[in-house]
Amino acid sequence: MALYLITGIGGFIGSSLARALLSSGEQVRGVDNFSTGKRENIAEILDRIDFREADIGDLDAMHKACAGVDFVLHQAAIPSVPKSVQDPLGSNRANVDGTVNVLVAARDAQVTRVIYAASSSAYGDTPTLPKNEAMSPDPISPYAVAKLASERYMISFSRCYQLETVSLRYFNIFGPRQDPSSPYSGVLARFIMQMLRGEQPTIFGDGETSRDFTYIDNAVEANLLACKAPANQAAGQVFNVATGTRITLNQAFKSLQGMTAYSGQPRYEPERKGDIKHSLADISKAQAGLGYNPKVNFEEGLRRTVEWYRRK
Ligand code: UD1
């Protein structure tokens, strides 16, 4: 049994990781400042985790949180592209300064390994698809720059302090508990909530924007594998976490029409600043280095997610 620290445990990905670890008998500690995470996401597991309300900007709190920890799963972030365009300083504070604090605390506590929630947004709008990890990044939004900077900090701490770090470049993770309520929320969570309520969803752009939408169980699996993979294959490395298929917003809307029985059409509005047009991953490095294989495809993940929001 190992002790895992999850930063951002109140978030949709952090709380999913906590549930998976608890069900395999591991010990879980978590921190969240509830800036984007939610108390309700951890309410039913609160008695089984060591939860501390804290900000990753608080180095002292991070030192305390890392004491005795084997693995850190660093998920805490302000995860929105448009929010970072509006507030680049806030994005940098949470997504870069916060990460360096977590790394310093993990290093000082001699944690075995830190797994980082990196982002596919680092690739930017370069025309080649699918994206592989050897390509030069070309981030567009302040958010993407921050996520890439933190990824480089992960690598730096591997090189300078022998702290094992693994960066997982998430490609549009979706699933139960993703917050649908803010204009900055992930597109599928938003569409599902709106369509179940009979409200018209908005598509920014012509709807041909595409993403490698990845169901949460696949991301959870990737994190667990990243903790256990041999250091010579994983430490100081960056891996795409995705499915290797891409879906347009128009296609996603159509699938959801069937699943939610929404009969209207979407409203089309101009593209958002900072958005990238297409995103598709080559997942062969994660397959070879981590033994990662996505188990839940887009349609199945979407069905499970709609069911969860329907029951909510
Ligand atoms: C998402 C994540 C980001 C992560 C990245 C890569 C969110 C909020 N953002 O960024 O944290 O690092 O994937 O994994 O989960 N759109 C609409 N209508 C809406 C909302 C969005 O058309 O109501 C469009 C956006 O303009 C964009 C696309 O859908 O073109 C995806 O947007 P979004 O879900 O915010 O995700 P990303 O920006 O790709």
Side-chain angles (χ1 to χ4, degrees):
M1 197 163 64
L3 175 58
Y4 292 72
L5 170 66
I6 302 173
T7 68
I9 197 169
F12 129 75
I13 299 177
S15 61
S16 303
L17 287 167
R19 282 181 171 76
L21 288 168
L22 288 174
S23 65
S24 33
E26 306 288 0
Q27 280 184 294
V28 177
R29 182 179 293 163
V31 295
D32 207 297
N33 67 352
F34 298 115
S35 71
T36 56
K38 291 214 155 105
R39 286 175 203 279
E40 67 187 58
N41 285 342
I42 49 171
E44 77 198 42
I45 55 168
L46 206 50
D47 56 344
R48 287 184 285 153
I49 61 176
D50 171 5
F51 174 70
R52 297 143 186 228
E53 187 166 344
D55 192 312
I56 56 169
D58 178 347
L59 182 59
D60 186 42
M62 289 309 105
H63 269 125
K64 288 180 182 134
C66 282
V69 163
D70 299 296
F71 300 100
V72 176
L73 307 180
H74 177 36
Q75 312 298 309
I78 297 181
S80 159
V81 168
K83 205 167 182 178
S84 77
V85 173
Q86 206 178 71
D87 178 18
L89 282 172
S91 169
N92 194 77
R93 254 195 310 277
N95 300 332
V96 183
D97 296 345
T99 297
V100 182
N101 275 340
V102 171
L103 277 170
V104 166
R107 177 202 64 188
D108 294 349
Q110 297 185 306
V111 160
T112 302
R113 194 173 281 185
V114 178
I115 315 299
Y116 175 55
S119 172
S120 59
S121 59
Y123 290 111
D125 248 345
T126 49
T128 316
L129 293 175
K131 310 290 188 197
N132 70 54
E133 298 84 345
M135 290 173 176
S136 301
D138 189 15
I140 298 173
S141 63
Y143 168 77
V145 171
K147 280 278 159 180
L148 180 62
S150 280
E151 190 185 290
R152 297 306 312 190
Y153 270 114
M154 289 290 148
I155 297 168
S156 169
F157 271 62
S158 260
R159 290 181 180 165
C160 296
Y161 308 110
Q162 287 78 49
L163 171 65
E164 292 179 10
T165 64
V166 184
S167 295
L168 302 178
R169 281 188 182 163
Y170 291 163
F171 281 67
N172 293 77
I173 314 300
F174 73 97
R177 295 187 186 81
Q178 189 169 25
D179 176 18
S181 63
S182 132
Y184 302 119
S185 297
V187 64
L188 296 179
R190 258 189 105 55
F191 280 10
I192 294 170
M193 181 197 70
Q194 290 165 329
M195 292 166 80
L196 283 175
R197 288 182 181 168
E199 294 168 6
Q200 187 179 33
T202 302
I203 290 182
F204 299 114
D206 61 5
E208 291 309 298
T209 294
S210 63
R211 293 288 186 272
D212 192 334
F213 289 109
T214 305
Y215 187 65
I216 181 67
D217 287 14
N218 301 319
V220 167
E221 172 90 353
N223 274 273
L224 304 186
L225 290 166
C227 291
K228 296 291 143 79
N232 63 354
Q233 283 170 217
Q237 294 293 319
V238 175
F239 297 96
N240 288 341
V241 171
T243 68
T245 53
R246 100 190 138 98
I247 305 288
T248 67
L249 296 178
N250 284 330
Q251 286 169 333
F253 173 80
K254 252 206 183 76
S255 294
L256 284 173
Q257 263 189 325
M259 294 178 199
T260 62
Y262 176 77
S263 56
Q265 291 304 312
R267 174 176 45 243
Y268 288 88
E269 286 188 9
E271 277 175 28
R272 298 188 312 197
K273 273 201 196 78
D275 274 346
I276 58 170
K277 185 79 185 166
H278 299 295
S279 182
L280 171 69
D282 176 340
I283 55 170
S284 51
K285 186 176 173 188
Q287 286 173 319
L290 305 178
Y292 165 78
N293 273 303
K295 294 207 177 93
V296 183
N297 69 22
F298 175 71
E299 286 285 324
E300 174 58 20
L302 205 56
R303 253 191 302 278
R304 292 188 196 179
T305 309
V306 170
E307 271 323 297
W308 187 86
Y309 283 107
R310 208 196 293 278
R311 284 198 310 269
K312 207 174 163 249

